[in-house]
Amino acid sequence: HYVPCAMLIKNLQGRYVFVNETSEKVFRRKLDEWVGRTDDDLWSKSLANKFKNIDQQIIREKKAVETTESVSHEDGVQHWLTTRFPILDEHGESMMIGRAAINITESRRLEREIQTVSEREQRRIGQDLHDGLGQYLTGIACMVKVIGAKLGEKKLPEAADAQRITAMVNETIQ
């Protein structure tokens, strides 16, 4: 049965002792290319060092660690959500390190697409507000300013109110 999750187990010396069929397929390595090998044998130096550091943390703290990793293949970069966890013996001591990884490449692509669409919609709404509402508010500000000037010519106290309204509308436009 196909399990969509890559599952791997290493011993405390960092050698792979179990790899499921999904891991073989997605990482394009047969079982015999994994078993008995270390991260140094299988990955780039920087990735292998990262994996080893996480493994040491898991052994030391006896707690699971979740990370995201990007792995380059000839057909592009794949992104993985990975949980590494200690496999404990009956005394609660770490005896192996398990790893479960699920491919999140498509989710990442969709997140970027949603972000792009959201930003485009924000720009469109801003432009619509500027072009539509902004013009109406500018018209209102001009009309209130004219009314304020007429009230001021007649020495009416409401002229100050008209000036405040004009200022508020101009502030809203900004």
Side-chain angles (χ1 to χ4, degrees), residues 1-69:
H1 299 280
Y2 178 75
V3 178
C5 186
M7 302 289 295
L8 306 104
I9 298 175
K10 290 190 272 186
N11 63 22
L12 294 183
Q13 291 72 45
R15 296 195 180 282
Y16 288 89
V17 296
F18 171 82
V19 177
N20 72 345
E21 189 176 316
T22 303
S23 298
E24 289 183 272
K25 286 180 182 176
V26 297
F27 296 114
R28 299 181 180 112
R29 289 189 171 108
K30 296 290 181 200
L31 182 64
D32 61 348
E33 295 176 71
W34 287 95
V35 174
R37 303 251 166 90
T38 67
D39 290 323
D40 288 322
D41 300 326
L42 300 169
W43 308 108
S44 69
K45 184 176 180 156
S46 63
L47 208 52
N49 285 336
K50 176 183 175 184
F51 292 168
K52 290 188 290 187
N53 288 335
I54 294 170
D55 288 350
Q56 291 307 309
Q57 177 185 349
I58 291 166
I59 293 167
R60 190 175 54 253
E61 297 176 7
K62 298 178 187 146
K63 289 197 290 190
V65 173
E66 189 174 280
T67 59
T68 54
E69 292 148 15

Side-chain angles (χ1 to χ4, degrees), residues 75-129:
D75 55 348
V77 176
Q78 292 185 349
H79 303 282
W80 294 86
L81 176 62
T82 302
T83 302
R84 289 177 173 77
F85 52 91
I87 299 172
L88 306 175
D89 66 15
E90 65 273 5
H91 305 291
E93 296 301 318
S94 297
M95 59 183 232
M96 290 189 193
I97 300 161
R99 182 163 117 202
I102 189 156
N103 191 328
I104 59 169
T105 304
E106 182 63 10
S107 297
R108 284 271 176 98
R109 186 193 66 76
L110 290 172
E111 286 172 8
R112 285 191 305 274
E113 190 173 316
I114 288 168
Q115 182 68 29
T116 300
V117 169
S118 175
E119 289 168 359
R120 188 171 47 235
E121 274 303 293
Q122 285 178 343
R123 284 191 300 274
R124 186 191 62 76
I125 290 168
Q127 190 65 46
D128 288 351
L129 286 172

